Amino acid sequence: MIKVSRMNKHFGDLHVLKDIDLEVKKGEVIVVIGPSGSGKTTLLRTLNILEQPDSGIINIGEQSIDFSQPVSKKEKLKFRQQTGMVFQNHNLFPHLTAIENVMEGPVTVQKVSKDEARKKASDLLTKVGLGQKLDVYPHQLSGGQQQRVGIARALATGVEVILFDEPTSALDPELVADVLDVMKELAKEGMTMVVVTHEMGFAQEVADQVLFMDEGKIVNQGSPDYIFNQTDESRTRQFLKRIQ
Amino acid sequence: MKMYLSNIFTNSEMQEKYIDIFTSSFLPLVKGALYNTLPLTFIAFGIGLVLAVITALMRLSGSKILRGMARVYVSLIRGTPLLVQLFIIFFGLPSVGVTINPLISAVIGFSLNMGAYNSEVIRAAILSIPKGQWEAAESIGMSHTQMLRRIIFPQATRVSIPPLSNSFIGLVKDTSLASLITYSEMFRKAQEIASQNYEFLLVYSEAALIYWIICVALTFVQDRVENRLERYVS
């Protein structure tokens, strides 16, 4: 589903992603962990080209972009439409209601009719447990509810991959579970997911693969059991020890 | 001053005369406001707003040339007096064979002015929208134009209503400068009336009163619009 080869990204002099290679199969859940500043969020953002890599190739589905060549806007737009993104701070559109937020992509980008989009958006919001909150503005929702609208919005355009950027980090602890439950549900349904998170419980329970990143590199990767219980790699162990 | 006041309060003949002057000049002044001052204000503000949005987008664009052009325009207009600009357009341009009637001259002058000042307002409003909004719009696959139209402008509008109302109200009053390029808006009407009856204080105060009533009404409209747009923010 996703294949990244030899991807590099610099911010000025800072080499934030170093020769990243990554493969994600259809239906897999990949959890990316690592200390802050390790490049995990940047890695996620390159998959949606919110950050454009300096070099390397990304394949998603049928499409492939080689970033050592100039990339046209059109190419980027088309590429981006295969993935949905859930942000740490949800970034819902404050001037639109919950259902309008979810409809925006289908209606504006995919030119789906409003009626059809509304029906689908209503189904999606019901699925994430917000069937009663369709016409409410984001500021009237709790953080957990906002994030679930964010997930529905990311799903609305019929994407095959969803990218989660620390979806629960900005939430009050008691609201985290609601969001994680929705994510587990999606995983069960076979959605391909790449998740940057500090929720190690979620990683252990749901992930097919865990990647440990440090200083712009994927240092260690494997099954949750391997990463959390078996690995001898010192930086992984050090990191896990520190956060427990 | 003393005499004037004592006349108003004691001399019934004078009272009658003032009331008569006041009422007889009221209609021409209000007509001047409705047919000249307000249309000039609305037209200049409308065209100015279009110029302002274009200029703001040029200032924010990736092209150095567009940014430079916008910056020169804003700098020229902001750095020179409005009255001087109006004089250049109306009295100056005929020297090179370009003669423009008073109304059009005023529209050009005020529009250019509004465009320059309001472009800064709109630029600031666009910049005030958090980066996450652009990214979220990008992540659902929107093109740059779609982002601006659907996500950024609606939010920037709310932010820019108070400062834009300010400049609109400023423009209502600034149109009185058009009297100096012979456009017969309300204040020029007042000058004409006063030059016949010599009641400068009374007639000019009356004009001031009408300007004030217009601005109070506009402030009321502004409050209504702001309340409407506040509904989605806590």
Side-chain angles (χ1 to χ4, degrees), chain B residues 4-234:
Chain B
Y4 198 88
L5 286 178
S6 70
N7 277 345
I8 287 181
F9 290 116
T10 55
N11 186 329
S12 69
E13 204 175 301
M14 289 308 267
Q15 272 176 7
E16 235 163 72
K17 184 188 157 204
Y18 290 141
I19 289 171
D20 190 47
I21 290 172
F22 188 91
T23 46
S24 66
S25 38
F26 191 71
L27 201 61
L29 288 181
V30 169
K31 265 189 180 164
L34 288 180
Y35 296 151
N36 304 96
T37 297
L38 286 177
L40 172 58
T41 308
F42 277 103
I43 294 169
F45 193 80
I47 298 174
L49 205 54
V50 175
L51 284 177
V53 172
I54 294 170
T55 310
L57 290 178
M58 283 167 73
R59 289 280 315 255
L60 295 169
S61 87
S63 152
K64 230 178 174 172
I65 298 167
L66 290 181
R67 283 205 307 269
M69 279 165 56
R71 195 168 297 176
V72 169
Y73 161 55
V74 172
S75 168
L76 270 178
I77 299 292
R78 287 208 305 188
T80 54
L82 174 54
L83 189 56
V84 175
Q85 294 160 15
L86 290 172
F87 271 47
I88 289 175
I89 296 166
F90 186 71
F91 296 114
L93 290 185
S95 315
V96 290
V98 183
T99 308
I100 309 172
N101 79 36
L103 171 61
I104 305 293
S105 300
V107 167
I108 294 173
F110 288 116
S111 301
L112 286 175
N113 230 267
M114 284 292 113
Y117 279 93
N118 289 342
S119 75
E120 292 294 292
V121 167
I122 288 166
R123 189 171 74 100
I126 291 175
L127 288 174
S128 78
I129 308 304
K131 199 165 150 255
Q133 290 291 308
W134 295 85
E135 291 186 345
E138 236 178 309
S139 80
I140 58 173
M142 284 192 181
S143 68
H144 192 72
T145 322
Q146 289 170 333
M147 273 184 236
L148 287 175
R149 190 167 51 82
R150 299 285 310 165
I151 307 301
I152 304 303
F153 283 158
Q155 296 184 61
T157 302
R158 189 186 66 80
V159 182
S160 54
I161 289 293
L164 285 181
S165 305
N166 230 352
S167 68
F168 189 84
I169 285 170
L171 179 61
V172 172
K173 296 173 296 173
D174 283 349
T175 55
S176 59
L177 290 175
S179 64
L180 294 167
I181 56 167
T182 76
Y183 181 60
S184 65
E185 43 64 70
M186 175 166 64
F187 187 59
R188 191 167 178 90
K189 294 256 162 72
Q191 287 175 307
E192 284 162 10
I193 295 168
S195 66
Q196 283 165 21
N197 61 23
Y198 299 108
E199 289 297 342
F200 295 102
L201 179 61
L202 184 66
V203 177
Y204 289 162
S205 301
E206 196 175 351
L209 179 71
I210 297 173
Y211 277 116
W212 185 55
I213 291 170
I214 293 173
C215 291
V216 168
L218 287 172
T219 309
F220 178 75
V221 173
Q222 175 193 351
D223 288 344
R224 292 283 297 263
V225 174
E226 275 178 36
N227 280 335
R228 232 187 95 71
L229 291 175
E230 286 302 318
R231 71 191 185 284
Y232 64 78
V233 284
S234 44

Side-chain angles (χ1 to χ4, degrees), chain A residues 74-85:
Chain A
K74 223 174 170 182
E75 243 179 305
K76 277 196 257 183
L77 268 178
K78 203 164 159 235
F79 195 79
R80 208 172 258 149
Q81 286 176 24
Q82 303 180 100
T83 52
M85 181 97 177

Side-chain angles (χ1 to χ4, degrees), chain A residues 52-215:
Chain A
Q52 184 165 339
D54 304 324
S55 65
I57 299 172
I58 305 181
N59 288 287
I60 296 182
E62 315 265 271
Q63 294 181 52
S64 162
I65 294 189
D66 181 351
F67 288 96
S68 40
Q69 319 281 333
V71 185
S72 75
K73 271 187 191 168
K74 223 174 170 182
E75 243 179 305
K76 277 196 257 183
L77 268 178
K78 203 164 159 235
F79 195 79
R80 208 172 258 149
Q81 286 176 24
Q82 303 180 100
T83 52
M85 181 97 177
V86 176
F87 297 89
Q88 182 174 355
N89 295 315
H90 66 73
N91 292 343
L92 292 180
F93 305 129
H95 59 301
L96 302 177
T97 60
I99 195 163
E100 287 169 345
N101 263 279
V102 180
M103 288 163 63
E104 190 59 36
V107 172
T108 303
V109 179
Q110 299 177 322
K111 312 291 180 203
V112 173
S113 79
K114 274 202 170 164
D115 288 339
E116 200 180 317
R118 181 173 292 276
K119 197 175 163 305
K120 197 176 161 202
S122 153
D123 290 347
L124 280 170
L125 284 169
T126 307
K127 186 174 156 185
V128 298
L130 295 171
Q132 308 298 317
K133 303 274 184 187
L134 302 183
D135 297 312
V136 160
Y137 284 99
H139 75 91
Q140 296 164 298
L141 296 168
S142 73
Q145 292 170 331
Q146 289 169 341
Q147 197 53 289
R148 282 183 280 151
V149 177
I151 295 173
R153 178 177 68 181
L155 288 166
T157 43
V159 294
E160 299 194 55
V161 182
I162 295 208
L163 313 168
F164 292 86
D165 183 13
E166 304 198 24
T168 56
S169 299
L171 297 181
D172 291 339
E174 77 269 22
L175 302 174
V176 168
D178 290 345
V179 173
L180 291 181
D181 285 346
V182 169
M183 291 168 64
K184 285 176 198 166
E185 189 63 36
L186 282 176
K188 239 186 263 168
E189 290 172 10
M191 178 62 78
T192 310
M193 295 161 61
V194 182
V195 186
V196 171
T197 187
H198 296 293
E199 294 291 332
M200 297 305 154
F202 175 83
Q204 294 203 31
E205 191 186 332
V206 184
D208 296 299
Q209 264 192 82
V210 178
L211 305 187
F212 172 73
M213 284 187 76
D214 195 19
E215 293 177 348

Side-chain angles (χ1 to χ4, degrees), chain A residues 202-236:
Chain A
F202 175 83
Q204 294 203 31
E205 191 186 332
V206 184
D208 296 299
Q209 264 192 82
V210 178
L211 305 187
F212 172 73
M213 284 187 76
D214 195 19
E215 293 177 348
K217 281 185 183 158
I218 297 175
V219 177
N220 199 357
Q221 77 185 86
S223 68
D225 182 47
Y226 170 76
I227 293 288
F228 291 109
N229 305 319
Q230 296 174 18
T231 186
D232 291 328
E233 200 279 320
S234 60
R235 280 191 278 180
T236 315

